[in-house]
Amino acid sequence: GKPEKGAAKDSEDEDEEVQPKSELTVRAVNVGMRCLSDRDVSVRQRAVKLLHSVAEGDKKVIERLMKIANDTDGKFGHASSPEGRQFAVKAIAAIAGVGNEVVCDMMVDLIDDDERLVRQACAEGLQRVTAPDDLDTVAMLLEIRDRPDKEWEQRGELVKEIKTSVTGVLQRLAVHWVPAEIRHKGVEGLMEFMRKAYQEELDCRRQDELEEGVEEEIAVGQSKQTKAVASLADGRYEDAKH
């Protein structure tokens, strides 16, 4: 019972892995990966549950799934079908945990995919993996919603559908942090509130960066001063001048 080839390679370059995966876990992951693109939807659903139980938080498995989710060229055969990509996204949402920025970015990128199944999986996934205070993901979704029609390059009716889906995700994310009275004012009022909140967040970050820069300059100045005082105390007058 040697582990499968791909599995050994996967764990070799994993720096943070505290303990190597058991052969059984490796097999379970590979079975789950294969069954994600099974033609029977109930098998695909069970595969997501299996991966959730054996690969939670596993970066390597997430990376493998992301390759499938992003594959629009059919490199992975049936796994790259709309259903296969849809369930790769579902599996990522099940194992990634809340606040995984790489996963959030990928789902935002794919929420305007040509395949409706992939878009729906990303819309559901974002509600599961986006941290309540993640205003960067909110901002990226707002950018898609606000994107002028002329920038959509002949996507026709799809544009309306994508924007509706994105609006739905934003409304559901808002439940975690936007006051109820603003959420009940209607969609445009809510979107405006979110835009302003993101702008305020950016202003705060800039202010923090400025303050950190000033503190660093003061610290450098103080260490130079300390050295000069020490040189004077030791009678090294030439050193003190520098």
Side-chain angles (χ1 to χ4, degrees), residues 181-199:
E181 62 269 20
I182 288 162
R183 295 203 311 275
H184 297 152
K185 273 184 187 168
V187 173
E188 289 314 318
L190 172 60
M191 299 301 139
E192 192 49 41
F193 179 87
M194 287 175 137
R195 281 185 208 102
K196 280 185 182 155
Y198 184 65
Q199 196 50 54

Side-chain angles (χ1 to χ4, degrees), residues 74-93:
K75 276 199 291 259
F76 299 102
H78 186 64
S80 304
S81 66
E83 294 83 4
R85 293 176 62 220
Q86 171 197 26
F87 272 83
V89 173
K90 282 177 180 282
I92 292 167

Side-chain angles (χ1 to χ4, degrees), residues 10 45 48 61 151 153 167 171-172 190 195 204 237:
D10 272 359
Q45 285 164 343
V48 170
V61 176
E151 286 178 29
E153 293 170 13
T167 303
Q171 284 174 301
R172 285 186 282 278
L190 172 60
R195 281 185 208 102
C204 284
Y237 301 110

Side-chain angles (χ1 to χ4, degrees), residues 35-36 38-48 83 87:
C35 291
L36 276 178
D38 193 273
R39 289 172 200 280
D40 181 339
V41 67
S42 65
V43 173
R44 298 200 296 271
Q45 285 164 343
R46 285 203 294 276
V48 170
E83 294 83 4
F87 272 83

